């Protein structure tokens, strides 16, 4: 798969570790920055990754900031994005299986490197289950339309 990745200054170091790991797992990575550790604004990177995923340039995305929250809130403002913050592997699997999350987010100040790698693997290995879950995803899309 093609994976879009983006982060803010709090997560640059972890981003590089995750990029290498995702490549080891056999995926292609598209890096949307930041590649610096100087202070920047996470909405910019959430938007870049969100737009790439919705446009189909990437199959899914990974976003990392200090907590994973700010950057996921930003990405979720892009129509069609379902970004989910995960701090454990079970949630990472379920956001794919049930919520068809097209972006996973986590916090470089919250999870350690090994857990972050396990979260990414759990998410990438999982598949959307469809069925009743699709009905709920359709409801979310309708909600997006109503509020457009
Ligand atoms: C940056 O200091 C920090 O606010 C950001 O990385 C993130 O945690 C926001 O949600």
């Amino acid at each position: 798969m093609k994976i879009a990745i983006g982060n803010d200054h709090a997560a640059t170091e972890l981003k590089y570790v995750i990029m290498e790991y995702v490549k080891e797992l056999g995926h292609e990575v598209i890096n949307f920055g930041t590649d610096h550790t100087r202070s920047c604004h996470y909405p910019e990177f959430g938007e870049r990754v969100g737009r790439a995923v919705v446009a189909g340039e990437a199959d899914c995305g990974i976003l990392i900031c200090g907590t994973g929250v700010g950057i996921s809130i930003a990405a979720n403002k892009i129509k069609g994005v379902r970004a989910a913050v995960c701090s454990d592997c079970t949630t990472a699997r379920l956001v794919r299986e049930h919520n068809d999350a097209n972006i996973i987010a986590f916090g470089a100040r919250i999870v350690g490197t090994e857990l972050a790698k396990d979260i990414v693997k759990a998410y990438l290995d999982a598949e959307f289950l469809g069925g009743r879950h699709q009905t709920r995803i359709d409801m979310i899309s309708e909600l997006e339309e109503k509020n457009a």
Side-chain angles (χ1 to χ4, degrees), residues 5-144:
I5 194 163
N7 59 286
D8 75 356
H9 56 279
T12 305
E13 202 179 315
L14 180 58
K15 188 266 293 285
Y16 284 121
V17 174
I18 295 298
M19 278 179 67
E20 284 314 305
Y21 181 61
V22 168
K23 285 184 211 164
E24 274 171 34
L25 293 176
H27 303 287
E28 188 182 328
V29 186
I30 314 170
N31 177 18
F32 286 87
T34 182
D35 293 326
H36 302 284
T37 52
R38 62 176 172 269
S39 186
C40 64
H41 303 305
Y42 56 77
E44 186 182 335
F45 305 97
E47 180 182 0
R48 285 187 193 177
V49 168
R51 289 201 189 282
V53 169
V54 168
E57 290 165 33
D59 297 295
C60 58
I62 298 172
L63 288 172
I64 325 170
C65 65
T67 58
V69 174
I71 202 161
S72 64
I73 290 174
N76 276 318
K77 298 297 176 190
I78 309 293
K79 191 174 161 188
V81 166
R82 290 180 301 281
V85 183
C86 301
S87 299
D88 66 90
C89 297
T90 306
T91 306
R93 172 175 58 81
L94 287 171
V95 298
R96 181 83 130 184
E97 290 184 351
H98 288 199
N99 313 116
D100 199 19
N102 48 15
I103 296 181
I104 194 173
F106 46 88
R109 294 172 179 162
I110 306 297
V111 300
T113 304
E114 292 308 310
L115 178 54
K117 286 159 78 173
D118 289 348
I119 285 170
V120 166
K121 186 167 187 335
Y123 171 72
L124 294 177
D125 284 352
E127 282 179 24
F128 180 49
L129 297 177
R132 68 183 189 280
H133 304 295
Q134 183 61 57
T135 305
R136 295 157 189 168
I137 300 305
D138 292 344
M139 289 171 72
I140 292 172
S141 301
E142 283 165 25
L143 196 55
E144 232 173 14

